[in-house]
Amino acid sequence: MEEPMAADELDELDPVEAEAPHEPPPEVEPEPDAAPGPGPDERLAAIEAAVAEFNRRSAHRESVIDRLHEENQRLRDGVQRAILEPVVADLLRLYDSLLREAARLAAEETDPAQSRLLASFADDTLLTLERCGLDEFTALPGEPFDAGRHAVTSVVPVDDEALDNTVAEVIATGFVERETGRVRRPLRAHFHRYQPPAPTNTPADSDPDDEPAEPSAPID
């Protein structure tokens, strides 16, 4: 059996705790519900938009890279052409000179070995020109004149109208750039030119008034 509290112990108690009853804790108000997130359709649409934007940027980046590559290639080709231009010009002159000299020696029939030697040098020069990106082209007698590929060195009169403006004899072959198709040097040749024959007068075409008059009778 519990003993009653002494008076001095009652004095030590907090008067508020002794007198006032325990109050219940304050009620906590519930937090409002958060806004609902995007649905699956909205998230899918956002992903598709992001992928489309990525593809657009990738395509633009690729186009810029391709354009820069083309500009770099043109610049490099221009520098290479500028460096090789005098070399190619000298090689063309050397090639023509070797062919002419080989043809002259072959026509003279003095030493066939010398002619063959010069012809072999000309072939080596042609191989060097091919390594520089040039291809040789020629023409046969009777082929029509091509303003973009032929150059006229002289004309040969001919009375056959069908041969007018055609190749008579090739003097020097032409060369074209392999990559661009541009004619580096046109073919030089003699070309036919039609000249109709001069008209001739026949007795039937003579004018009667031009006949000599009969001599008059002598005067006594």
Side-chain angles (χ1 to χ4, degrees):
M1 182 174 180
E2 295 181 358
E3 296 181 356
M5 298 179 61
D8 54 357
E9 293 178 354
L10 293 174
D11 294 338
E12 293 178 358
L13 295 175
D14 190 357
V16 176
E17 293 180 357
E19 296 177 359
H22 293 286
E23 296 180 357
E27 297 181 358
V28 179
E29 297 182 357
E31 296 181 359
D33 296 337
D41 295 339
E42 296 178 356
R43 290 197 296 269
L44 182 60
I47 294 173
E48 291 178 351
V51 171
E53 179 65 16
F54 176 79
N55 292 335
R56 186 188 66 81
R57 290 179 178 272
S58 298
H60 177 69
R61 183 169 58 252
E62 292 295 332
S63 64
V64 171
I65 293 174
D66 293 341
R67 186 171 65 252
L68 291 176
H69 176 70
E70 292 176 358
E71 292 177 357
N72 187 24
Q73 187 68 27
R74 287 196 298 269
L75 178 62
R76 185 173 62 182
D77 293 343
V79 172
Q80 183 178 5
R81 186 179 298 108
I83 294 174
L84 291 179
E85 188 72 19
V87 178
V88 170
D90 293 339
L91 288 174
L92 290 173
R93 285 192 292 269
L94 176 62
Y95 179 66
D96 294 339
S97 300
L98 290 173
L99 286 181
R100 284 196 301 267
E101 191 64 18
R104 184 185 66 81
L105 292 176
E108 293 178 356
E109 298 181 354
T110 55
D111 189 355
Q114 293 183 1
S115 176
R116 290 194 299 268
L117 180 61
L118 292 179
S120 66
F121 289 160
D123 293 337
D124 293 339
T125 307
L126 180 60
L127 292 176
T128 305
L129 289 169
E130 290 178 353
R131 285 194 292 269
C132 292
L134 298 181
D135 290 333
E136 184 185 28
F137 68 91
T138 185
L140 297 175
E143 290 188 10
F145 172 75
D146 187 348
R149 298 169 63 89
H150 298 164
V152 181
T153 57
S154 65
V155 294
V156 178
V158 65
D159 56 1
D160 187 358
E161 190 173 1
L163 295 176
D164 184 44
N165 213 22
T166 60
V167 176
E169 182 184 1
V170 175
I171 303 302
T173 57
F175 286 87
V176 62
E177 294 180 357
R178 187 180 303 112
E179 293 184 357
T180 62
R182 184 177 69 93
V183 176
R184 175 61 178 77
R185 191 190 73 177
L187 177 143
R188 295 195 291 267
H190 301 313
F191 283 84
H192 293 121
R193 175 176 292 176
Y194 171 68
Q195 290 185 356
T200 57
N201 292 329
T202 60
D205 297 334
S206 60
D207 192 351
D209 296 337
D210 295 339
E211 295 180 357
E214 295 181 357
S216 57
I219 300 175
D220 293 338

